[in-house]
Amino acid sequence: MPNIKSGTIIEYSYTITSPYYDIRDLKIQYGIPIKQLVYTTEIPEYFHFSKQNTGYYFIQPTVQKLSRSISWNNKSRTSTGYNTSTSYQQEKLDHTSELTTYISADIPALKDNEPYISNINNYRGAIKYELKSIRFPNSPIENFSTSWESVSETIFKSPNFGTELNYHNYYKDDLEVLLIDKTTDSEKISSIFNFVKSKVKWNSYTGMYTSKGVRKAYKEGSGNIAEINLMLVSMLREAGLTANPVILSTRDHGIPVFPTREGFNYVIAAVHAEGAGYILMDASEKYSSPNNLPLRDLNWNGRMIAKDGRSSSISLSPTRYSESNNMLTVSIDAQYNVKGMLRRKLDGLQAFNYRTKNNRIKEEDLIEKLENKYHVEIRNFRLGDKETPSKPISELIQFESSDMIEVINGKMYIDPLFFFTTKVNPFKLENRKFPVDYGSPWKEKNQISISIPPGYQIESIPESFGIGLRDNVGVYKFLIKASTSKISITTQEVFNKAIISPIYYNELREFYNQLVFKQREKIILSKI
């Protein structure tokens, strides 16, 4: 294209011809600002669509009724003996159309650079159209809209879904061995879940339907998501437990708006345990555990399908906290060098993420990674329960550092939380119209003990502090105690919801402003 340069505006148009009665999503908001946007749709009266606004940017449309007509020629032939004649007759059909126009200017960008977002496309403004019904002249109405229940039933009746749950001879002998001496529901669930994880490895393909089938996947030791988790459901049922498949949409697939089979792309297992309700499991991941799913699965709600094909909504948001507990003891020598010991425990989603990221790398590479993260030299390192997903992962680090203490005119200035200090507010936007998605409710607790070096005394320390968000959404506590020889700090940060509504955003941003300010206050030690 000739004469293109920076600032050139290129206009183009195209036509899509399709045998399907479909209107693509009208995207209103992008990752770049839009100077002006105009969308029009014209739909003849014979087609009825549902329209749904998604995201957090809305345009009020204008709607007009238009009179239209369609003309065409009818061709007919008549034969009389050996003679055939052709005649043409023009036909005309009058009808109305609905013209909908969306106009907006200066639409702000919605960029994918804010923290704690599941899928930014869920929050960008758009209008989705779904065909409800068609009724042509002199013809009966043809309905297309459906319900989540009928979608689930259709999926269940597929030979690559529901039928696969009926096969059980291929694992019968192994199941009998697994259940020896297993008397409680939790023992049976744990034994079967761990067996499936070790027996069939995930081949990285997702989907609700089996590809080669559960029996072949079992024999070959490899399968897709459906083959692994439908197998798990079948084995749990055969063991006498109440288990059902749960279909869902993963985070990268988005949140389904209309009831449609394309709204789901994944399946996990749900099993009922006495006194524990339904437990959700995904046997595709080596380091997952009951009710501790991979982050990709944690996307609002799924649908649990019972044996008769009926379905019900089930929340995918975990009730189990993702936890980090840190105990740090440090001492400071006369040259202002710090020696310390960190004992750390991770549980829930944090433990799963740690194992997934770090268990595949060599220990020396992990040590180097931690040294770069904490800006220390690690002298001793131990990792506990790294291969046991049902237990918290434990980490012990002995370290030294020569640049953790700031010295000015002989006075020591110390960050109370050392490398656990939150130095900047993660939330930059003045206003955020989409949720903060942590994936899981979470807790972080830090217990820090600082030995005051000989010849020094406390000149000043930060005051204890606490702040909370309304409706018990979150809380932060900073407690500090001091004696002549030691300073003890305990902090606790708790968020009781996995997803924080945008109505709390301004409070959340101020919450972190105050948290950062408090954590950056210094302990000051001066010479005696």
Side-chain angles (χ1 to χ4, degrees):
M1 192 176 292
N3 301 321
I4 287 183
K5 59 184 178 180
S6 178
T8 298
I9 297 174
I10 303 172
E11 295 185 11
Y12 63 93
S13 63
Y14 59 92
T15 301
I16 299 173
T17 304
S18 171
Y20 304 107
Y21 304 128
D22 178 50
I23 297 177
R24 293 186 177 185
D25 294 350
L26 307 184
K27 296 180 180 179
I28 296 173
Q29 205 168 22
Y30 293 81
I32 58 173
I34 303 299
K35 187 68 176 174
Q36 186 171 34
L37 178 141
V38 179
Y39 270 130
T40 61
T41 62
E42 185 176 344
I43 303 172
E45 65 180 274
Y46 313 115
F47 301 90
H48 300 275
F49 283 83
S50 294
K51 289 179 274 189
Q52 177 69 49
N53 292 287
T54 63
Y56 289 85
Y57 192 93
F58 175 75
I59 299 174
Q60 182 65 47
T62 59
V63 181
Q64 297 173 270
K65 293 291 185 180
L66 304 177
S67 297
R68 299 295 196 195
S69 63
I70 302 172
S71 299
W72 69 96
N73 289 323
N74 266 340
K75 177 181 176 182
S76 62
R77 291 182 178 178
T78 57
S79 297
T80 306
Y82 293 102
N83 296 319
T84 300
S85 61
T86 303
S87 62
Y88 296 90
Q89 184 175 2
Q90 189 175 57
E91 301 283 349
K92 182 180 179 183
L93 177 64
D94 294 322
H95 67 279
T96 61
S97 284
E98 183 180 87
L99 179 69
T100 304
T101 305
Y102 301 87
I103 300 176
S104 188
D106 299 320
I107 300 172
L110 187 57
K111 298 182 179 180
D112 193 6
N113 60 355
E114 277 289 297
Y116 309 113
I117 298 174
S118 58
N119 182 340
I120 192 63
N121 291 321
N122 292 334
Y123 310 121
R124 285 182 177 146
I127 302 108
K128 292 180 180 289
Y129 280 72
E130 185 204 28
L131 185 63
K132 289 174 60 179
S133 62
I134 297 175
R135 187 170 187 175
F136 291 117
N138 305 316
S139 300
I141 190 169
E142 185 177 1
N143 290 307
F144 293 93
S145 282
T146 184
S147 65
W148 288 121
E149 289 76 12
S150 60
V151 166
S152 303
E153 185 177 2
T154 302
I155 293 169
F156 179 74
K157 288 179 179 178
S158 166
N160 298 107
F161 191 95
T163 304
E164 297 283 342
L165 293 167
N166 298 326
Y167 302 131
H168 51 81
N169 285 335
Y170 65 97
Y171 59 68
K172 198 167 186 178
D173 292 341
D174 287 332
L175 184 61
E176 288 178 1
V177 175
L178 284 175
L179 297 181
I180 293 174
D181 299 329
K182 305 298 186 298
T183 57
T184 67
D185 287 356
S186 60
E187 287 175 335
K188 293 176 184 179
I189 292 168
S190 179
S191 180
I192 293 170
F193 180 59
N194 289 326
F195 174 78
V196 173
K197 285 200 300 179
S198 62
K199 177 68 176 176
V200 185
K201 305 301 181 187
W202 182 33
N203 61 14
S204 298
Y205 288 98
T206 58
M208 296 179 298
Y209 301 109
T210 60
S211 177
K212 54 190 172 186
V214 290
R215 292 173 293 186
K216 191 172 182 181
Y218 191 88
K219 181 180 179 181
E220 295 180 353
S222 173
N224 69 7
I225 288 295
E227 284 149 356
I228 292 170
N229 287 323
L230 293 179
M231 181 190 303
L232 173 61
V233 171
S234 178
M235 292 184 73
L236 291 166
R237 286 178 174 179
E238 194 69 12
L241 298 161
T242 302
N244 295 308
V246 174
I247 54 176
L248 59 90
S249 173
T250 55
R251 287 177 165 241
D252 60 356
H253 191 250
I255 299 170
V257 176
F258 297 112
T260 169
R261 281 176 291 173
E262 287 70 33
F264 300 109
N265 69 326
Y266 205 92
V267 59
I268 59 174
V271 59
H272 192 273
E274 189 174 349
Y278 274 100
I279 297 169
L280 301 180
M281 296 184 292
D282 185 345
S284 67
E285 288 285 354
K286 179 179 180 180
Y287 299 115
S288 67
S289 55
N291 273 345
N292 192 22
L293 301 172
L295 184 61
R296 62 175 175 269
D297 299 358
L298 305 179
N299 196 29
W300 298 81
N301 296 312
R303 292 204 71 85
M304 183 169 64
I305 307 178
K307 287 185 177 181
D308 59 4
R310 289 187 297 175
S311 69
S312 57
S313 179
I314 186 169
S315 174
L316 301 171
S317 295
T319 55
R320 178 182 177 182
Y321 283 86
S322 176
E323 296 189 54
S324 173
N325 287 288
N326 308 301
M327 295 184 64
L328 176 65
T329 58
V330 298
S331 61
I332 306 166
D333 65 21
Q335 284 73 44
Y336 313 115
N337 297 314
V338 170
K339 292 184 179 180
M341 172 83 75
L342 172 62
R343 291 179 174 86
R344 193 171 187 225
K345 281 197 172 183
L346 302 175
D347 201 4
L349 186 60
Q350 287 209 51
F352 171 82
N353 290 338
Y354 186 100
R355 289 184 173 103
T356 302
K357 291 177 183 177
N358 298 321
N359 279 11
R360 294 180 175 90
I361 65 178
K362 296 178 182 178
E363 185 173 289
E364 55 265 32
D365 294 332
L366 175 56
I367 290 172
E368 183 179 358
K369 181 179 175 181
L370 292 170
E371 286 181 330
N372 292 333
K373 178 181 178 181
Y374 295 142
H375 304 289
V376 298
E377 292 182 16
I378 294 177
R379 301 304 184 191
N380 187 22
F381 177 79
R382 289 207 306 268
L383 204 57
D385 293 313
K386 61 181 290 189
E387 298 291 344
T388 313
S390 60
K391 294 183 179 180
I393 197 163
S394 62
E395 196 178 56
L396 185 144
I397 300 172
Q398 274 185 304
F399 65 89
E400 294 180 5
S401 176
S402 59
D403 60 358
M404 280 188 167
I405 307 298
E406 186 179 11
V407 181
I408 302 174
N409 297 327
K411 295 181 180 181
M412 296 188 195
Y413 293 79
I414 304 168
D415 286 326
L417 300 186
F418 291 88
F419 39 67
F420 291 120
T421 303
T422 303
K423 295 183 177 180
V424 295
N425 189 335
F427 301 107
K428 309 296 185 189
L429 292 178
E430 288 190 16
N431 294 290
R432 175 165 163 160
K433 295 183 178 180
F434 49 94
V436 171
D437 189 338
Y438 290 122
S440 168
W442 60 278
K443 301 178 181 179
E444 180 176 300
K445 186 175 183 179
N446 298 308
Q447 294 174 279
I448 299 168
S449 177
I450 305 170
S451 296
I452 299 174
Y456 279 84
Q457 62 184 355
I458 297 171
E459 181 171 310
S460 68
I461 58 173
E463 294 181 358
S464 294
F465 170 81
I467 187 173
L469 295 171
R470 62 192 163 105
D471 301 327
N472 197 31
V473 169
V475 65
Y476 177 73
K477 296 178 182 178
F478 179 101
L479 302 174
I480 189 165
K481 295 180 181 179
S483 66
T484 55
S485 60
K486 188 170 68 172
I487 301 170
S488 298
I489 302 112
T490 300
T491 69
Q492 188 169 31
E493 192 172 350
V494 180
F495 279 86
N496 296 307
K497 294 182 179 181
I499 299 172
I500 312 299
S501 167
I503 66 173
Y504 299 102
Y505 179 71
N506 289 336
E507 295 173 56
L508 180 65
R509 190 165 178 253
E510 180 57 26
F511 175 98
Y512 272 98
N513 280 337
Q514 294 191 42
L515 182 151
V516 169
F517 182 81
K518 174 54 62 174
Q519 291 193 8
R520 297 194 71 172
E521 290 182 345
K522 303 286 189 180
I523 294 171
I524 303 176
L525 303 181
S526 59
K527 291 181 179 179
I528 298 173

